[in-house]
Amino acid sequence: MKKVLFLAVAFSASFAMAQDLPSNPEPGKCYVRCTTPDVYVNETTTITTNPSYKILKTIPATFKTITERVLVREEEKVLTVVPAKWGTETVTYVSKGGGNSLKVIPASFSPSTQTIEIKPAYAQWELGVAAPDCESGNPDDCRYWCYKGYPAQFETVSTQVLASDASTTSSPLGSQNGSYTKAVLLSPATVVEKIIPAEYKEITKTVLDKDAYTVEEIIPAKTTTITKEVLKEKGGLTTWKEVECALVEYQALPINWNSGSATLTSEAKSIIDNRLLPILAQNPGVKVELASHTDSQGSSVSNQDLSERRAKAVADYLITKGVNSSLLVANGYGETRLLNRCSDGVSCTAREHAVNRRTQFRLINN
């Protein structure tokens, strides 16, 4: 096994010498610098996707029929000498009372959106490749550190806002009149009087019992909960840790990807659980690079995109298993690091192309 001293190299070789290197290192041992990772917590925020509003229902007016005793002929006197003279009179009454008819105009809504920050911006130290003009025999002496920033992530949620609330319009209902005729005395009899008793009649009429009215129903607002990551505690550089020297070089993660796919199968997840997660658990705080490669078949652009998505798929799965995202570096190399002669334009067997399709990992300095 190749034995190297794997030390963190920042911006230049001379600056690296000034850093706190491992105390009392043993020859042939390998060391990486560990960090206290950034600690994030998930917070939930609730937004209103549909506001509360009311629905109005109309209850029509109700009527009732009543019976009323009315005078249709007054008491009279009959004179034996001069008879009384009578006339008639028409009396008008309300046979059906008036009311109102109500019509509901429903509430209307307008589309809207609300943008929520689901992941804040952050920055982290990343180790660059060796400078091309490095004069040292050890390329690790000429690597440099970059403090790389990543923008915040946002999510836009569609909502609705109340444009106009429900209301009603009122239309009057006309009343109905009826009439009856009664006899009236024009001139009384004289000389001899005879009393004629009054006459009554029962009439039926419809009157308003309860006018139309509205019943209000409140429709509650609808909400949705968004989960976002919030930085709770900022991490930083801590100590050096001894690791197996083999782990600072690329190790195979034998995932059999489906053609053109960056989706982890259950078998691929099992490989990560058994091969990579135990190493990360044994080396807490150590950063790991996840590297994915393709063969030269297809366009270089599509191969680069596919390798980046596959590396990110592995990183995303590790995050779901509790690995801090600040300790993961996902790199897709496409067809730029072929292991054999099978570049564009070269005829190769399927087995030769398969050699170049690989996913690897290694421990790197923070």
Side-chain angles (χ1 to χ4, degrees), residues 31-245:
Y31 302 86
V32 292
R33 182 180 287 275
C34 301
T35 59
T36 301
D38 292 342
V39 178
Y40 291 87
V41 295
N42 288 334
E43 289 187 358
T44 57
T45 181
T46 301
I47 63 171
T48 301
T49 56
N50 294 87
S52 173
Y53 64 97
K54 63 182 179 181
I55 295 178
L56 299 179
K57 297 180 181 179
T58 61
I59 307 301
T62 58
F63 298 86
K64 64 181 179 180
T65 301
I66 63 172
T67 301
E68 184 177 339
R69 187 171 182 267
V70 297
L71 179 65
V72 296
R73 186 181 180 92
E74 292 182 350
E75 183 184 87
E76 62 175 314
K77 295 178 181 182
V78 177
L79 300 178
T80 58
V81 177
V82 181
K85 294 182 179 181
W86 295 89
T88 59
E89 180 181 50
T90 300
V91 179
T92 300
Y93 66 94
V94 177
S95 63
K96 183 176 180 180
N100 291 285
S101 174
L102 299 178
K103 180 180 179 182
V104 172
I105 301 174
S108 62
F109 304 88
S110 299
S112 181
T113 60
Q114 187 170 347
T115 300
I116 299 297
E117 181 185 4
I118 62 172
K119 186 169 183 178
Y122 68 96
Q124 63 183 13
W125 286 104
E126 294 186 5
L127 183 62
V129 298
D133 57 350
C134 179
E135 296 179 357
S136 173
N138 184 357
D140 290 338
D141 292 341
C142 300
R143 295 189 177 183
Y144 56 90
W145 283 95
C146 293
Y147 193 62
K148 187 173 181 180
Y150 294 87
Q153 296 182 13
F154 298 85
E155 180 176 329
T156 299
V157 179
S158 298
T159 64
Q160 288 188 333
V161 295
L162 185 64
S164 60
D165 213 341
S167 61
T168 59
T169 58
S170 175
S171 300
L173 300 174
S175 61
Q176 296 180 6
N177 295 328
S179 64
Y180 61 90
T181 302
K182 70 177 182 178
V184 294
L185 182 63
L186 300 177
S187 60
T190 58
V191 183
V192 178
E193 295 182 350
K194 183 181 179 180
I195 304 298
I196 304 298
E199 293 182 11
Y200 294 89
K201 179 181 180 181
E202 287 189 348
I203 62 171
T204 301
K205 62 180 182 179
T206 302
V207 296
L208 181 65
D209 182 33
K210 187 175 183 179
D211 206 352
Y213 62 95
T214 59
V215 174
E216 185 176 290
E217 179 182 356
I218 302 298
I219 304 301
K222 294 182 179 180
T223 60
T224 186
T225 301
I226 300 296
T227 301
K228 59 181 181 179
E229 287 186 2
V230 178
L231 181 63
K232 180 181 179 182
E233 182 179 341
K234 184 67 178 175
L237 295 176
T238 54
T239 61
W240 290 94
K241 177 178 178 61
E242 179 185 340
V243 297
E244 293 182 28
C245 289

Side-chain angles (χ1 to χ4, degrees), residues 119 153 262 264 272 290 308-323 325 328 330:
K119 186 169 183 178
Q153 296 182 13
L264 291 172
I272 296 172
L290 306 167
E308 290 175 358
R309 289 189 290 116
R310 286 176 173 176
K312 184 177 183 299
V314 176
D316 291 342
Y317 177 70
L318 290 172
I319 292 172
T320 66
K321 303 296 285 187
V323 179
S325 60
L328 301 175

Side-chain angles (χ1 to χ4, degrees), residues 252-313:
L253 200 58
I255 296 174
N256 291 321
W257 298 95
N258 292 327
S259 178
S261 173
T263 301
L264 291 172
T265 64
S266 58
E267 179 184 0
K269 293 177 180 179
S270 178
I271 291 172
I272 296 172
D273 292 343
N274 297 322
R275 178 77 176 93
L276 182 52
L277 278 176
I279 294 175
L280 298 181
Q282 294 166 8
N283 298 277
V286 174
K287 183 172 288 187
V288 62
E289 179 193 8
L290 306 167
S292 186
H293 306 265
T294 67
D295 57 29
S296 61
Q297 299 180 97
S299 70
S300 60
V301 174
S302 62
N303 285 334
Q304 180 64 34
D305 175 70
L306 179 60
S307 65
E308 290 175 358
R309 289 189 290 116
R310 286 176 173 176
K312 184 177 183 299

